[in-house]
């Protein structure tokens, strides 16, 4: 996407009239002022984003518990029917295999990697656009003081409803191969 296309997209956005966005420059998130999180900033992040706790993930926690119990029950019946040479052994093994696939998906959510202090970065900005798609949720942000904007920043869908637009926020994200926003705090 070249500069003219970005400029046209910026004009189409529903933004407040506080700033003249036509003069803003497209930059990467690190050029816009992202910096490593300080000790004080890291303490502000809620514990649910700083630790692995599969019981504090809302509906996913309930599903994870249910499927963990089902896994244990099916494992027990699989061993029991194997010892008895029962005709139920194969169907129970197939059910266990299917259930383990579902369990792997739920484990990836329940044991999601938390924000680590030494790998967490933060930026103070204004989120102007949130695009929520099943596999490609992204946001566009601006840094009004520097007259810069950054687009196509992926974010974690678990806090989709917690991202306000057109107000100053502090975003916390991991620096991996791509920047993944994990937490948003209103300033």
């Amino acid at each position: 996407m070249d500069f003219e296309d970005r400029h046209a997209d910026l004009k189409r956005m529903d933004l407040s009239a506080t700033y003249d966005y036509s003069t803003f420059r497209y930059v990467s998130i690190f050029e816009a002022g992202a910096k490593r999180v300080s000790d004080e900033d890291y303490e502000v992040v809620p514990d649910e984003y700083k630790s692995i706790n599969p019981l504090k993930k809302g509906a996913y926690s309930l599903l994870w518990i249910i499927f963990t119990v089902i896994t244990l029950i099916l494992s027990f019946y699989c061993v029991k029917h194997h010892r008895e040479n029962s005709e139920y052994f194969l169907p129970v093994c197939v059910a266990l295999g299917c259930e383990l696939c579902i369990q792997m998906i739920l484990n990836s959510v329940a044991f999601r990697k938390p924000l680590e202090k030494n790998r967490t970065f933060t930026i103070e900005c204004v989120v102007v656009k949130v695009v929520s798609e099943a596999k490609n949720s992204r946001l566009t942000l601006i840094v009004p003081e520097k007259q810069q904007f950054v687009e196509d920043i992926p974010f974690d869908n678990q806090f989709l409803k917690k991202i306000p637009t057109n107000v100053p926020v502090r975003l916390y994200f991991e620096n991996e191969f791509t920047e993944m926003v994990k937490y948003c705090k209103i300033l």
Side-chain angles (χ1 to χ4, degrees):
M1 185 181 272
D2 60 1
F3 178 74
E4 289 81 22
D5 292 338
R6 286 193 188 104
H7 184 67
D9 281 344
L10 210 53
K11 282 189 172 188
R12 282 193 301 269
M13 287 182 204
D14 180 26
L15 303 172
S16 67
T18 310
Y19 303 102
D20 178 15
Y21 295 98
S22 63
T23 61
F24 282 35
R25 184 171 57 96
Y26 173 75
V27 295
S28 75
I29 196 162
F30 290 101
E31 290 176 288
K35 60 185 186 295
R36 197 172 294 276
V37 70
S38 66
D39 293 336
E40 298 83 30
D41 282 342
Y42 189 72
E43 291 303 318
V44 171
V45 177
D47 289 338
E48 66 185 89
Y49 298 103
K50 295 190 289 187
S51 66
I52 297 176
N53 188 348
L55 302 177
K56 291 196 175 189
K57 304 285 193 223
Y60 289 114
S61 295
L62 182 62
L63 284 173
W64 179 75
I65 290 169
I66 290 169
F67 277 92
T68 301
V69 169
I70 292 171
T71 301
L72 294 174
I73 292 169
L74 285 174
S75 298
F76 170 75
Y77 280 115
C78 192
V79 170
K80 178 183 173 194
H81 291 307
H82 174 60
R83 289 187 179 170
E84 296 174 355
N85 293 325
S86 173
E87 67 272 0
Y88 297 115
F89 174 70
L90 188 59
V92 171
C93 283
V94 170
L96 179 62
C98 294
E99 201 284 328
L100 285 175
C101 292
I102 295 170
Q103 186 70 33
M104 284 177 28
I105 294 169
L106 290 173
N107 282 344
S108 68
V109 173
F111 294 102
R112 181 178 286 143
K113 189 174 78 173
L115 283 170
E116 299 173 19
K117 184 171 182 273
N118 59 348
R119 294 171 35 120
T120 301
F121 289 79
T122 183
I123 185 169
E124 292 182 5
C125 59
V126 176
V127 176
V128 292
K129 182 180 177 183
V130 177
V131 177
S132 174
E133 298 172 353
K135 300 216 180 220
N136 193 17
S137 297
R138 304 211 173 269
L139 51 89
T140 300
L141 56 93
I142 62 166
V143 181
E145 299 83 31
K146 297 181 180 181
Q147 293 194 341
Q148 298 170 332
F149 75 96
V150 184
E151 61 184 0
D152 292 331
I153 303 296
F155 65 89
D156 198 340
N157 278 338
Q158 77 177 15
F159 73 98
L160 172 64
K161 304 233 184 318
K162 298 177 186 176
I163 300 176
T165 56
N166 296 324
V167 295
V169 294
R170 181 175 293 137
L171 299 178
Y172 294 83
F173 62 93
E174 293 177 322
N175 180 28
E176 293 180 358
F177 296 108
T178 61
E179 300 85 18
M180 170 69 82
V181 174
K182 297 281 189 165
Y183 177 64
C184 177
K185 177 187 169 198
I186 299 174
L187 296 178

